[in-house]
Amino acid sequence: MITAEQLKKHKLTAGEYGHARDVLGREASLTELGVLSVMWSEHCSYKSSRKHLARLPTTGPRVVIGPGENAGVVDVGDGWCVCFKMESHNHPSFIEPRQGAATGVGGILRDVFTMGARPIAALNSLRFGRPEHPKTRHLVDGVVSGIGGYGNCFGVPTVGGEVVFDASYDGNCLVNAFVVGTMKRDAIFLGLATGIGNPVIYVGARTGRDGIHGATMASDEFSDKKAVERPTVQVGDPFQEKLLLEACLELMRSDAIVGIQDMGAAGLTSSSVEMAGRAGNGLLLELDKVPLREEGMTPYELLLSESQERMLIVAKQGREEDVRKIFDKWDLQAVVIGRVTDDGIWRCTWHGEEVCALPVPLLTDEAPKYDRPQARPDWQDAVQVLPTVTAGDASADLLALIGSPDHCSREWIWSRYDHQVGAATVIRPGSDAAVVRMHDTTKAIALTVDGNSRHVYLDPVQGGMGVIAEGARNLACVGAVAVGATDNLNFGNPERPAIMWQIANAIDGLAAGCRALDVPIVSGNVSLYNETDGNAILPTPTVAMVGLIEGELPAIGARLGRAGLEVAVIGALPTHGVGGSSWLARVHGLLRGKPPTVDLVAEKALHTALIKLVREGLVEVAHDSADGGVALALAEICLPLRSDASVGLVGELPGSGDRTARLFGEDHGRVVIAYDRHQAPAIDAVLAGIPRTVVGISGGSRLTLTDAGAPVIDVAIDALTARWRDAMPTYLAGDPWPV
């Protein structure tokens, strides 16, 4: 008899278990309860979000495979596709940052190459608590080491990402990992258990006790009191993953298999169940044949283990030896552990005795699906009221912003990543978007990852739209057309109506942005219950976006490379104010006001024109104006990137009205460009009515801005550079964050 205490431990409600018992017509065994627990967890079943995720646009003329498979696939022409996905490893990274982050990278790599794609680039989106929090420095160092260590050893370049610090992440860091791969359209593999009688083959590393109940833990909240209950985090081996990649890709060329699936969250259970579910078949697994690395493991443990570097394959009957030979060549396990059946039942035996017999639909399509109550928070109106703040010295404020945790140089981070392995990286970390060549083609792909939790917190719909707009704008800055996106939705406890309201409304904002800008969401992940002691993280939907560049690569940068260039802002001038701005948060410690609204029609027109400007070589610099406003964007284009010499700027603050809003307001639909002034007529012809407001001319060693002749900002580029470049290394060396 399953007890209430067992249900609580397995994160199942009495109602959920009652439904399972009714379907089975009997009590579940403890092993079956463990299987139900992981398959019905938020991480695997999306039971709180499925209803809302259905509103996201997931189809389009380029979409080959959308959500539901291991990763999404988009056609980029000439028989080529790109395959990509983003997933979270938040809770494991907080518990053990190095291994948690490393295995997050390993898992998303397998999601991509199980589709038949060779990974060519990785990005990440990271959120940490306050720099002064006692765990933050440890988490930053461990997570960065884990990402770099795994990616570098595996041989995939980590080419970009984002990092944000906020008190809401003190007890719950976020580690969202993204990988993209390339493949031929006729060489896509799916996770299907087809062909009655076909053998099921376990390949890769042996199974241990690491990560048991990891999927269930991902749907749990943290507290200091529950630290002893936290399960062991998985341990990764990037060298074995590299062997697994090469073995799997060679196997896919052999015509010996019909389906392949990564053993990720919930391990052998989820991989086998999902393969059977997609095919509408049953499966028989002989668990005593699973290769183990620890003695005395039980069926419960090996079904729920999340040991890394493992895959599940359904091969054609009679081709078992072909599979073994390929994996022997790469010094990896390949063991037949079961077969496909026609009864729709997922069965497991242990030394001949049946230990699980569950209908596949019960674990997949019939998993719980909730329309949880929503309620606009009673504090929402209050936080949208912008208090009166006194504008200080703009030069001092700019120095504070550029040296703040959210805007300082990330070189300390990305210098630990190999961003050149594979010899395909064109634009490296530090620009609006990374660019990577697709070998054997005349194409390149641009990559960016974006999120703005402040804006989403203050207005989830507008904040969600803004995430999409900024991602597509970043791609346009390097001349790329957005072709698809993947999301990772990080929120608190969905059982709280206020959190569920944030989730539903943010998804509506994402959906509106995607539809208007023709960017389908082809894959993604939901990470809920990101809370510690009842305190939720800021709502943090992150979006990784992929863009396409065809033909000759444009010569474009995000830094002023020489003096004498005219600098201008294209797009709407600031009108919104400073609500939700980084300036308000970092200089005044306030998260208040309404975030900027998004004009999606104007955004699309701006992106289209900007792509043409870049592709036709009319501009030398293009840099998105987003966090920190126009002032920060102008400062950033003056900074040296790596060892390049810096170039100053003398100009006039664009626009009219409130000076602080014009400096630091974060209105959407604006990009800073620099160009030879003789190109101005051709630029205006392309802009076709989109405003171009000249700021000034590059040159000198200072950033100087006036407003109607009055000095506003006057600061040495060397001072900006020192504050920007030194902040994070100083902090990671053990000193307080410099102010």
Side-chain angles (χ1 to χ4, degrees), residues 382-389 452-459 462-463 574-586 588 590-597 626-629 658 660-668 670:
V383 299
Q384 289 187 342
V385 175
L386 183 64
T388 301
V389 290
N452 192 317
S453 53
R454 294 191 312 273
H455 290 184
V456 177
Y457 172 78
L458 295 170
D459 186 328
Q462 290 297 326
T575 59
H576 168 72
V578 294
S581 68
S582 184
W583 175 82
L584 195 66
R586 287 299 173 191
H588 294 278
L590 294 172
L591 177 53
R592 298 286 293 274
K594 291 185 178 180
T597 56
D627 279 9
D658 182 80
T660 304
R662 289 154 59 206
L663 284 166
F664 301 113
E666 296 178 357
D667 299 62
H668 291 282
R670 299 175 302 168

Side-chain angles (χ1 to χ4, degrees), residues 143-381:
V143 165
V144 171
S145 296
I147 291 170
Y150 203 101
N152 295 352
C153 294
F154 177 85
V156 62
T158 301
V159 295
E162 60 165 5
V163 186
V164 173
F165 295 77
D166 185 85
S168 75
Y169 308 108
D170 278 352
N172 202 133
C173 66
L174 302 184
V175 176
N176 293 179
F178 165 87
V179 166
V180 61
T182 58
M183 70 218 301
K184 298 293 285 185
R185 181 159 182 162
D186 60 0
I188 298 171
F189 281 79
L190 303 178
L192 296 172
T194 57
I196 307 306
N198 275 342
V200 177
I201 305 178
Y202 173 116
V203 301
R206 293 175 178 270
T207 296
R209 290 188 170 93
D210 46 330
I212 291 174
H213 264 303
T216 309
M217 179 266 289
S219 298
D220 196 11
E221 299 175 28
F222 280 162
S223 76
D224 291 337
K225 295 178 181 178
K226 295 169 71 173
V228 294
E229 299 177 13
R230 297 172 184 173
T232 304
V233 174
Q234 307 96 310
V235 177
D237 181 347
F239 298 105
Q240 188 156 67
E241 178 119 332
K242 173 64 172 175
L243 296 177
L244 186 62
L245 161 74
E246 299 299 343
C248 287
L249 293 183
E250 182 175 340
L251 178 65
M252 290 167 179
R253 297 190 293 268
S254 72
D255 191 39
I257 65 172
V258 297
I260 182 170
Q261 174 89 6
D262 162 42
M263 287 195 220
L268 179 58
T269 292
S270 65
S271 58
S272 58
V273 167
E274 289 171 6
M275 292 183 82
R278 294 189 191 110
N281 288 323
L283 217 61
L284 171 64
L285 300 178
E286 298 176 75
L287 299 180
D288 50 289
K289 294 183 178 179
V290 172
L292 303 177
R293 71 165 186 262
E294 298 186 47
E295 294 182 359
M297 289 189 69
T298 66
Y300 180 100
E301 290 175 320
L302 67 88
L303 280 172
L304 303 190
S305 167
E306 294 184 5
S307 294
Q308 296 292 288
E309 292 85 43
R310 304 178 301 160
M311 307 282 275
L312 198 65
I313 289 168
V314 175
K316 297 177 180 178
Q317 289 190 68
R319 302 296 299 275
E320 296 90 339
E321 190 58 31
D322 295 334
V323 175
R324 287 194 192 96
K325 285 180 179 178
I326 289 173
F327 279 84
D328 281 347
K329 170 185 171 181
W330 294 98
D331 197 24
L332 293 169
Q333 298 275 337
V335 180
V336 176
I337 64 166
R339 57 184 172 83
V340 180
T341 63
D342 62 0
D343 60 2
I345 304 296
W346 183 78
R347 299 180 189 277
C348 301
T349 63
W350 181 246
H351 298 289
E353 179 183 351
E354 187 171 88
V355 293
C356 282
L358 299 169
V360 171
L362 177 66
L363 301 173
T364 55
D365 295 339
E366 295 174 13
K369 180 179 179 181
Y370 295 122
D371 185 2
R372 296 197 185 277
Q374 302 176 38
R376 190 174 190 270
D378 53 12
W379 43 259
Q380 197 74 37
D381 287 337

Side-chain angles (χ1 to χ4, degrees), residues 12-215:
L12 291 172
T13 68
E16 288 171 345
Y17 178 65
H19 169 66
R21 186 177 53 208
D22 291 343
V23 171
L24 295 175
R26 59 174 173 82
E27 293 283 341
S29 68
L30 183 60
T31 300
E32 290 173 330
L33 186 68
V35 168
L36 287 166
S37 172
V38 293
M39 292 307 299
W40 287 5
S41 68
E42 194 71 52
H43 188 83
C44 291
S45 74
Y46 299 92
K47 59 188 176 185
S48 299
S49 57
R50 272 187 293 165
K51 174 182 183 294
H52 304 285
L53 294 173
R55 298 197 295 276
L56 292 170
T58 58
T59 59
R62 289 187 180 273
V63 177
V64 179
I65 295 173
E69 265 291 344
N70 291 285
V73 179
V74 173
D75 192 316
V76 293
D78 301 320
W80 284 94
C81 292
V82 290
C83 173
F84 53 91
K85 190 180 183 183
M86 181 161 60
E87 279 208 347
S88 61
H89 231 219
N90 301 337
H91 284 28
S93 298
F94 183 80
I95 297 167
E96 209 302 301
R98 182 180 177 87
Q99 288 299 336
T103 51
V105 173
I108 199 65
L109 283 165
R110 290 193 302 278
D111 279 339
V112 168
F113 72 72
T114 192
M115 302 291 295
R118 179 174 290 276
I120 64 167
L123 290 85
N124 50 75
S125 174
L126 311 177
R127 298 291 191 278
F128 299 105
R130 295 164 295 159
E132 63 269 23
H133 188 274
K135 283 206 72 170
T136 298
R137 188 180 283 108
H138 164 71
L139 290 171
V140 173
D141 185 57
V143 165
V144 171
S145 296
I147 291 170
Y150 203 101
N152 295 352
C153 294
F154 177 85
V156 62
T158 301
V159 295
E162 60 165 5
V163 186
V164 173
F165 295 77
D166 185 85
S168 75
Y169 308 108
D170 278 352
N172 202 133
C173 66
L174 302 184
V175 176
N176 293 179
F178 165 87
V179 166
V180 61
T182 58
M183 70 218 301
K184 298 293 285 185
R185 181 159 182 162
D186 60 0
I188 298 171
F189 281 79
L190 303 178
L192 296 172
T194 57
I196 307 306
N198 275 342
V200 177
I201 305 178
Y202 173 116
V203 301
R206 293 175 178 270
T207 296
R209 290 188 170 93
D210 46 330
I212 291 174
H213 264 303

Side-chain angles (χ1 to χ4, degrees), residues 686-709:
V686 172
L687 291 174
I690 296 171
R692 176 179 64 89
T693 307
V694 175
V695 175
I697 302 295
S698 66
S701 60
R702 304 183 72 81
L703 172 60
T704 303
L705 294 177
T706 58
D707 184 18

Side-chain angles (χ1 to χ4, degrees), residues 157 419-426 436-437 439:
H419 43 269
Q420 293 284 54
V421 63
T425 307
V426 180
V436 181
R437 287 189 185 90
H439 287 308

Side-chain angles (χ1 to χ4, degrees), residues 359-707:
V360 171
L362 177 66
L363 301 173
T364 55
D365 295 339
E366 295 174 13
K369 180 179 179 181
Y370 295 122
D371 185 2
R372 296 197 185 277
Q374 302 176 38
R376 190 174 190 270
D378 53 12
W379 43 259
Q380 197 74 37
D381 287 337
V383 299
Q384 289 187 342
V385 175
L386 183 64
T388 301
V389 290
T390 302
D393 178 83
S395 295
D397 288 353
L398 180 59
L399 282 166
L401 266 185
I402 209 160
S404 72
D406 292 346
H407 300 297
C408 68
S409 171
R410 271 55 177 137
E411 185 174 1
W412 184 92
I413 294 176
W414 52 253
S415 65
R416 281 152 178 75
Y417 304 154
D418 187 339
H419 43 269
Q420 293 284 54
V421 63
T425 307
V426 180
I427 296 182
R428 296 177 284 171
S431 296
D432 293 77
V435 175
V436 181
R437 287 189 185 90
M438 292 178 59
H439 287 308
D440 303 319
T441 76
T442 58
K443 307 173 190 293
I445 56 174
L447 308 164
T448 184
V449 58
D450 297 281
N452 192 317
S453 53
R454 294 191 312 273
H455 290 184
V456 177
Y457 172 78
L458 295 170
D459 186 328
V461 173
Q462 290 297 326
M465 284 194 288
V467 172
I468 300 299
E470 184 176 354
R473 203 160 57 239
N474 283 335
L475 295 180
C477 283
V478 297
V481 178
V483 295
T486 177
D487 58 14
N488 205 122
L489 309 183
N490 307 273
F491 291 86
N493 184 346
E495 297 169 45
R496 293 203 281 152
I499 300 295
M500 197 65 240
W501 178 84
Q502 290 178 335
I503 296 169
N505 281 273
I507 288 173
D508 284 341
L510 294 172
C514 287
R515 283 194 296 268
L517 301 179
D518 298 322
V519 185
I521 300 282
V522 299
S523 60
N525 176 235
V526 172
S527 175
L528 307 183
Y529 296 93
N530 289 290
E531 300 195 2
T532 297
D533 294 325
N535 298 313
I537 63 166
L538 290 177
T540 312
T542 57
V543 174
M545 204 171 288
V546 177
L548 176 63
I549 302 172
E550 299 193 82
E552 185 178 351
L553 292 173
I556 190 68
R559 299 291 193 271
L560 294 170
R562 61 188 180 95
L565 294 176
E566 191 164 81
V567 176
V569 174
I570 58 173
L573 293 177
T575 59
H576 168 72
V578 294
S581 68
S582 184
W583 175 82
L584 195 66
R586 287 299 173 191
V587 176
H588 294 278
L590 294 172
L591 177 53
R592 298 286 293 274
K594 291 185 178 180
T597 56
V598 186
D599 184 338
L600 291 168
V601 174
E603 280 283 354
K604 188 170 181 61
L606 176 68
H607 302 173
T608 301
L610 179 58
I611 290 167
K612 189 172 183 180
L613 291 177
V614 173
R615 298 290 294 145
E616 293 185 1
L618 297 175
V619 296
E620 295 184 23
V621 174
H623 180 42
D624 175 32
S625 173
D627 279 9
V630 166
L632 189 65
L634 292 173
E636 286 172 339
I637 66 170
C638 294
L639 296 170
L641 188 58
R642 302 172 183 88
S643 60
D644 301 339
S646 59
V647 179
L649 170 65
V650 178
E652 177 83 0
L653 179 64
S656 60
D658 182 80
R659 181 179 291 170
T660 304
R662 289 154 59 206
L663 284 166
F664 301 113
E666 296 178 357
D667 299 62
H668 291 282
R670 299 175 302 168
V671 172
V672 174
I673 60 172
Y675 48 89
D676 188 305
R677 69 184 71 186
H678 297 103
Q679 299 283 17
I683 289 171
D684 287 339
V686 172
L687 291 174
I690 296 171
R692 176 179 64 89
T693 307
V694 175
V695 175
I697 302 295
S698 66
S701 60
R702 304 183 72 81
L703 172 60
T704 303
L705 294 177
T706 58
D707 184 18

